[in-house]
Amino acid sequence: MFSLFFLKKYKLVLAISFLLFIIPFSWLKLGEMDLGGDSNRLFFYDPLSSLTSYGIYSVVPYGVGELSYGQYFIPFLLFLSFLKSIFISPTILIDIFNGLKFSGSFLFVFLIIKELLNIEDGKNLTADKYAAGIIGALFYTFSPGVIDNMGVALNTHILVFLNPMIFYLLLRYLITHSLKYVWAAILVTLIFSVSFSIHAPPIYAFYLLAIAFLLLYNFLILQKPIPWKSTSLMILLFLGLHTYQIVPIVSNVFDKGSQLNTRVFESTANVNLGLEYFNAILSLGKVSDHIFMPLAEKRLSWSLIIIPLLIILGFLSIKKKNKTLLLVGVFFLITLFLTSAKITNIGVEFYRKLYYIPGFGMFRNFYGQWQWVHTFFYALLAGLAISYLFFQMKRKYIYLTCIVAIGFISVRSWIVFNGDVVNFTQRGSQNLKVIIRMDPQYEKMLSYIKSIPNEGRILHMPFTDFVYNIVGGINRGVYIGQSMPSLLVGKNDFPGYQTIDPYSEVFVKLVKEKNYPLIKQMMALLQIRYILYNSDEIVSSTFFPAFPYGHTGTPTSQSQLREFVHNISKKKIYEIGHYSLYEVDKDQYLPQFYAVSDTYVYDTNPKYDVEYARALSFFPKDPLDKNKDSRIAFIDREICTKILSRQTCDQNNLHTDIKDIQIIYQRINPTKYKLVIKNFTKPFLLVFQNDFNPYWKLYPVNVSINIKNVSDSYYNGEIIELTPVNQAIDRNPFETNNIKSLYDNTHIQVNGYANAWYIKPNNFSEKENYEMIVEMTGQKIFYYSFAISLACLLIFLLYGIKLFILNRTSDIIKSRTL
Amino acid sequence: MSNAKNAIQSTSFLGNRRAVVLSFIFIAVIINSIFFESNSDTIFFGLLGFYIGVVFFYKLRSKLTFLFCLTLLIIMFIEYLVTGTSLRTEKTAVWFFLFMATGIVQQWKEH
C-alpha cells in the first residue's frame, strides 16, 4: 500500500527519473562501447578477465609490475560479472550505469530537498516544494560535473549518483533512527567498491563535508540525540567489511618510498609537490565559472543566470528565519571557496597553508576534486531557496518559472539527448570517434597473447607519449586508454613513455640516434620479448598528427613503424588483420630470473629526473660486445656497499663466474614463483626483473617442480622457464608462514628498478641445489584482511535479515492497529 | 552636556544620511568591480568592514544585503557574457561571495 502511495504521489518525479534512465540507451548501438580515458573501464567489456588480471593480486599487470593494492575492485567486478551474465552485451552494461548516473542523481537529490523542506516547516510536500525540488535535482543532474565528465569518465564518476544516495540514506537515519538506512548505505559502498576505495580523493572531498553538514544539521535543526551505540556498531561493521581494501592500502601509505607514502607525507618533505601543483594551476580556478556553471559547450550562455538569480530572489522572499537554508548556504560558500581557491589574497594564502596538512595534497587538482560536493550543495541551495520564492508566488507564475528554468536547463544540456556527451571526436584526431566496436581480429590477437607460455613482456608500436594504448575499432572509432593486453589478459607491457620508466628518456635518446643495438639492450633489461605492432593507418600520425605522439620521437607513420619494428625484432610469430606480434632475438633476451655475469657499478647523477631519466646515469653509450655474456646488471655504488666492501665497489666492473649455475623457475601467480638453483657453489647476484620492493622475499622450501612443463630455455639451458601455472586464486597462500626469509639484508635494487639478491651458498648446508619460493609478502596482508572482511560480511548479511524481519513485523503491527 | 549634544547631533547627522552612506559603499564597490582590475584585500575588507559597521549602526536588514547581491550578480553576469572569466568578472564574483556570506550571517542573527 505504501509503495502504491509513493508511486501516485511522486509519479511525475518517477516519470522524469525513468526518462533520464533510458536516455543513454539511445547513445550507443549494440556492440558499441565507450571505454577509453585515464581510468580503466575495460571491466565493462570483460569483468571476469579484469578480475583475474588485476583484481586479486597486489602486483600490477603492466610495466615492470609494481606493488599496487587493486583489490577494491573485487566486489564491483563480481557485481558486473553477475550483470553481464544476465545482459551479455557490454553496451547494455554501459547504458545501465550511465542511466543510473542520471536517474539516480535526479531522484536522490529531489528526495533530499523534499526531506529538508518537510522537516523545516513540518508540512508535507506541496506544489511549490515539488516544483523547486525538481528544478534543484535537474540542476544537479545536468551540471558540468556530471555531463562534461561523462565521455571519458573516471571510475569515481559513478559517485555523481552514489553520493546523493548515501547522503539521503544517512539523512533518513538521522531523522528516523532506523538502522535499515545505514545498512543499505553500507551495502551500496560494498557493491560499488570501485568508487569507495580509500585512496580516491573524491571520497574525502564529498564525505568530510557531507558528514559535517549532517552532524550540524542534526545539532541545529533536528536537535535529536544521535544513537551513538548503534551508530558506532555500524561504523565498525562498515570498516570490517572494507578491511580487505583498507588495511593493504593503509599499510602502503606507511611504506617509505611508495607513491602513496610520498603523496600523503609530501607536505612534510623539502619539496611540497601538492603545493607546487596547486600554485601551478591556481590561475585555472574561476569563481564566476563555479557560480554560473557553464557546460564545456557553453550553449545558451545567457540562461546561466537563471538559477543563481532564483536563489537570490529566494533569499529575498524569506519572511522568517530558515536555519536549513542558511546552513546549506554556508556549505555552498565553503565549497565555492574550495573549488575556486581565488576568494581574496588572504583566502589564497590560507588555502596554501592547507597543503601543509598531511594528505591535503590529494586535492592538488582542487577545481576537479571539489566540484561534485560544490554542485551538490549548490543544487540543494537552489531547491530550498526556490521553494521559498515559489511560496510567495501564485501557482500560474510557479508553473511558468518552472517551465522556463527546466526548459533552459534541458535545452542547454542538449548533448545529453542527442548522445554527443559520449559520441565526440577523439582528442587530437582527424575526426575519429571515441566510441568503438571491437575488432574481432584484435580479440584474436589478445587470445593469442594469452596463450603465450612465458613471461616475456610486450612493447607496443606505435608507442605513445603517456600510458595510453591506442587501438582502432571496426567503426572508425579509436580506443585510447589503459592497455588491453595487460588489463584483460594479464600480460605485462609497455604502451607508452610513462610506462617504461626509468628508461623513458633513455628510449627517447636512442630512438633519436637510431641506435638499434642499444635499443635492443634496453629492451633486454626490461624483459621485453615481443613487439605488438598495429599497422592500422587509423592509429598512425595520419589521423593523430600531434596527441598522443610527439615527445618520444618513435615513428608514428606506418612506413617508418614497419622499418623500426624490423630493426628491433627478429621474426614475426603471429599476424591477424592489422595486428602482428614480433619476437626479439632470444640471444638478447634476459628472462625473469638470471644470474649476473658482469656487474657495472655507477654513480647516480642527481641532475637526471628520478622517475623518467634515472637510467641515463648508468645506461652505456656503446653496445655490449657480442662475445660477452649479456647477463649483466647495473648497480649504484652506494647500494653496492650494502652487499660488498667499499674497495670492491670502487671498481667499475665486477665479474662472476656463473658458468655452471642453472636456474629453473615457474610462475605460480603474479606474486609467487618457484625457483630452483642448481650447482650453487659460489656467491653470485640473482636478478629478478620485477619492480624493486622490500616485500619480495626468498624462502627456502622443498618445492617440487615438474621439469617436463618447459616453456623455454635460455643460455644453452642455464636458465629454464617452466610453463606458468597462473592460479587465479593461490591454493597455498600461507605456505611460507613460519619460514624465515633469506638474504633480506642483501636485497638491493639493480638496473634502476629490478630486484637482486647477493646470495652465498654458506647459509645452506653442503647442498648444491636449492629450492626457494620467491613471494610478494604484501599479498598476505590482503589475505588476512580478506578473511576479516568475509567474517564481517556474514555478520552484515545476518544483521540485514534481522532488520528486514523486524521491519516487516513492525509494518504488520502498524497496519493492524490502523 | 555639550559633548552629549554634539554626540546626538552627529548621530542625527549620520542617521539622516543613511542613504548617502549606503550609496557611497555600493557605488564604491561597483566602481571597484567595473573599473579596477587589480585585487586589493585592503579595499575588499575595508569596504566590507565599513558596510558591516553601517549594518550595525543603522540596524539594516539582510534583505538589503541580498538586494546588493542581486545587483552584483547581474553586473557579474553581464561582464561574464562580454568578457568571460576576466579579472573584472572574477573581482565582482569575489564581491558577490563576500556580500552573500554577510547576508547569510545577517539573516541568521535576525528573526
Side-chain angles (χ1 to χ4, degrees), chain A residues 638-679:
Chain A
E638 289 311 308
I639 293 174
C640 175
T641 57
K642 288 182 187 173
I643 57 170
L644 297 168
S645 67
R646 171 59 74 172
Q647 200 180 359
T648 310
C649 292
D650 279 342
Q651 300 169 61
N652 289 336
N653 182 1
L654 308 168
H655 178 74
T656 308
D657 180 11
I658 56 167
K659 199 172 56 177
D660 297 321
I661 295 173
Q662 188 185 42
I663 292 173
I664 304 169
Y665 70 91
Q666 185 180 40
R667 174 169 136 153
I668 309 302
N669 61 56
T671 61
K672 188 187 276 187
Y673 294 79
K674 282 184 180 168
L675 181 69
V676 174
I677 303 175
K678 291 188 172 180
N679 306 321

Side-chain angles (χ1 to χ4, degrees), chain A residues 543-606:
Chain A
F543 288 88
F544 288 91
F547 176 88
Y549 307 121
H551 171 71
T552 319
T554 50
T556 49
S557 73
Q558 287 300 346
S559 54
Q560 290 172 332
L561 273 166
R562 262 187 292 277
E563 188 195 334
F564 186 84
V565 170
H566 282 121
N567 281 323
I568 61 170
S569 61
K570 185 159 185 196
K571 59 181 181 184
K572 192 191 301 185
I573 58 170
Y574 183 71
E575 181 177 10
I576 182 155
H578 297 301
Y579 313 101
S580 312
L581 197 67
Y582 288 78
E583 189 174 11
V584 303
D585 187 345
K586 222 166 94 174
D587 289 342
Q588 75 181 61
Y589 172 67
L590 277 173
Q592 189 114 42
F593 288 90
Y594 66 93
V596 176
S597 169
D598 285 284
T599 307
Y600 296 92
V601 187
Y602 68 93
D603 299 295
T604 301
N605 192 331

Side-chain angles (χ1 to χ4, degrees), chain A residues 272-478:
Chain A
N272 189 328
L273 289 174
L275 180 57
E276 281 193 3
Y277 192 96
F278 169 78
N279 286 333
I281 65 167
L282 180 58
S283 60
L284 297 176
K286 302 288 182 191
V287 187
S288 52
D289 264 347
H290 293 292
I291 291 172
F292 294 121
M293 308 270 274
L295 290 182
E297 292 283 320
K298 286 209 174 177
R299 289 186 184 179
L300 285 180
S301 51
W302 50 271
S303 70
L304 296 174
I305 197 173
I306 292 174
I307 298 298
L309 182 69
L310 290 175
I311 290 172
I312 299 297
L313 291 174
F315 273 102
L316 283 166
S317 65
I318 289 171
K319 299 243 182 291
K320 60 173 183 161
K321 183 172 175 174
N322 189 308
K323 284 188 196 173
T324 306
L325 178 67
L326 296 175
L327 186 62
V328 172
V330 166
F331 274 77
F332 162 74
L333 290 174
I334 291 171
T335 55
L336 181 57
F337 171 77
L338 288 169
T339 200
S340 63
K342 298 275 271 299
I343 306 292
T344 73
N345 294 327
I346 291 175
V348 174
E349 284 313 306
F350 170 73
Y351 211 119
R352 287 193 173 108
K353 294 281 180 281
L354 292 175
Y355 283 95
Y356 291 100
I357 301 170
F360 198 84
M362 73 170 98
F363 304 121
R364 60 184 66 194
N365 181 14
F366 60 93
Y367 57 84
Q369 304 293 6
W370 297 106
Q371 65 169 326
W372 291 339
V373 68
H374 167 66
T375 310
F376 175 74
F377 281 109
Y378 200 168
L380 296 192
L381 185 69
L384 293 173
I386 293 171
S387 82
Y388 298 118
L389 174 67
F390 282 176
F391 187 70
Q392 309 295 332
M393 288 164 70
K394 288 187 181 158
R395 193 163 280 207
K396 59 179 176 182
Y397 294 121
I398 293 174
Y399 289 146
L400 182 64
T401 312
C402 268
I403 289 168
V404 168
I406 294 170
F408 278 124
I409 291 172
S410 305
V411 173
R412 183 184 85 124
S413 314
W414 194 246
I415 53 170
V416 170
F417 299 94
N418 68 5
D420 282 353
V421 69
V422 294
N423 189 17
F424 50 86
T425 304
Q426 189 62 269
R427 181 168 53 145
S429 76
Q430 303 283 348
N431 213 25
L432 298 171
K433 295 293 186 187
V434 297
I435 293 172
I436 66 158
R437 197 184 281 275
M438 192 67 104
D439 185 348
Q441 291 171 336
Y442 190 70
E443 289 175 324
K444 287 191 177 127
M445 174 56 80
L446 290 177
S447 295
Y448 180 83
I449 290 171
K450 191 172 182 178
S451 69
I452 293 174
N454 63 62
E455 295 305 299
R457 294 174 183 151
I458 299 174
L459 180 71
H460 287 256
M461 282 292 151
F463 191 75
T464 65
D465 286 348
F466 308 95
V467 298
Y468 301 128
N469 176 205
I470 177 166
V471 179
I474 53 171
N475 61 330
R476 279 190 75 82
V478 175

Side-chain angles (χ1 to χ4, degrees), chain B residues 23-87:
Chain B
S23 299
F24 166 74
I25 295 171
F26 293 162
I27 289 168
V29 168
I30 289 169
I31 288 173
N32 181 254
S33 300
I34 297 175
F35 296 107
F36 294 92
E37 277 191 355
S38 60
N39 281 333
S40 166
D41 281 4
T42 312
I43 293 175
F44 276 132
F45 293 110
L47 272 175
L48 187 71
F50 185 36
Y51 176 76
I52 292 170
V54 164
V55 162
F56 276 114
F57 186 77
Y58 291 115
K59 294 183 178 41
L60 297 173
R61 310 268 301 166
S62 60
K63 264 203 172 109
L64 186 66
T65 311
F66 282 115
L67 265 173
F68 193 50
C69 279
L70 185 63
T71 314
L72 286 168
L73 178 69
I74 293 168
I75 293 171
M76 177 180 31
F77 183 62
I78 294 168
E79 284 172 335
Y80 189 80
L81 283 181
V82 174
T83 65
T85 55
S86 65
L87 289 170

